[in-house]
Amino acid sequence: MRVRVPAKVNLHLSVGDLRPDGYHDLVTVFHAVDVFDEVVVSAAPRSSVRTVDGAGGGAVPGVPAGPRNLAGAAARLLAKECGRSGSTGPVAIEIIKNIPVAGGMAGGSADAAAALVGCAALWGLDLTRDQLAEFARRLGADVPFALTGGTAVGTGRGDLLSPVLARTPLHWVLAVAGEGLSTPEVFAELDRLRAAGDPPRVAPVQEILAALPSGDPVRIGAALGNDLQAAAVSLRPELRRTLRAGRAAGAVGSVVSGSGPTCAFLCPGPDAAADVAAELAGSGTCRAVRIASGPAPGARLVGSG
Ligand SMILES: C[C@@](CO)(OP(=O)(O)O)[C@H](O)COP(=O)(O)OP(=O)(O)OC[C@H]1O[C@@H](n2ccc(N)nc2=O)[C@H](O)[C@@H]1O
Ligand SMILES: Nc1ncnc2c1ncn2[C@@H]1O[C@H](COP(=O)(O)OP(=O)(O)O)[C@@H](O)[C@H]1O
């Protein structure tokens, strides 16, 4: 079973205080973009997970091959919970990676969501979207959104979703950094910055929710915001230059995606995105530049047999 699954950017992310369970309450607006990983799940004599680079087919540094890979964890969870209702068994999982690793674009969560969809199909499990979402939630805060895609508000840990009807395509340029950032470290840095003196918080979510139906990139660009941006920039001060370079190149909005370090630049249209990408690529402020658009659909079977 071959499943295609999108990356996300957070158009809005407001972070509440640290909870006793180590998480923070969030209000976020997820937006899936057309940068896709593919996850191929096949019955095999022994379970395994292998990741290859979608661009060159080589190895992908930073992605665990063993039991810590979230796609393998997803297959194990499904086998454990549904073993009695279908023919579960060992699976070979191949991940074709295009989503930047540890980039704030939820690539690991995407692979987990794709593995849930692929294994459910392979094993003939008759699961509803709600049942899949419940398994997804147990794997990580970002996993349920990778199932649904589109644009959605996330509350709680970010895992309680309600869809946002905003279908006008948005055109993005993504600046990918040379080295990823650890999500728990970025949340911890925000706690530290707040203990030392509250950094400014993002505007209420209503601002972006009011802007989205207009489809107007200038209005939407002005409403982008992320409480984790200050923490990501504190850990990686060079992101300031990246953000400045994208705006100087003509982007109408900029935001660090999730816990970073990927920076997302909203552009007025596809031609402007090509111009911003070219200028940003020449600025020397990031490792790679991608053009993307959203909203993209969530995890979907694209082939079988
Ligand atoms: C920050 C966000 C924004 O969308 O995305 P990324 O930047 O990772 O893509 C997410 O909240 C990341 O979700 P996800 O990566 O699934 O998080 P999890 O694996 O569940 O949690 C990893 C760790 O991040 C911290 N965490 C995560 C979510 C949350 N609401 N509060 C937290 O404090 C906790 O320290 C937790 O142990
Ligand atoms: N299938 C996977 N793809 C990428 N990373 C994974 C995967 N499974 C586990 N991980 C771990 O999750 C961490 C976070 O990766 P990722 O989901 O790409 O970024 P982010 O949390 O910033 O959105 C990685 O550093 C890696 O150790």
Side-chain angles (χ1 to χ4, degrees), residues 8 10 22-24 26 30 104 106 109 140-142 157 183-184 187 258-259:
K8 59 83 182 163
N10 302 80
Y23 278 81
H24 296 72
L26 302 181
F30 292 112
S109 300
D142 273 355
R157 294 180 309 150
T183 300
F187 275 102
S259 57

Side-chain angles (χ1 to χ4, degrees), residues 8 10 13 15 18 21-26 28 30 70 103-107 109 139-143 156-158 183-185 187 228 257-260:
K8 59 83 182 163
N10 302 80
L13 177 52
V15 180
L18 178 64
D21 66 358
Y23 278 81
H24 296 72
D25 279 318
L26 302 181
T28 188
F30 292 112
L70 270 180
M105 299 193 73
S109 300
L139 291 161
D142 273 355
V143 183
R157 294 180 309 150
T183 300
E185 280 174 28
F187 275 102
L228 290 178
S257 181
S259 57

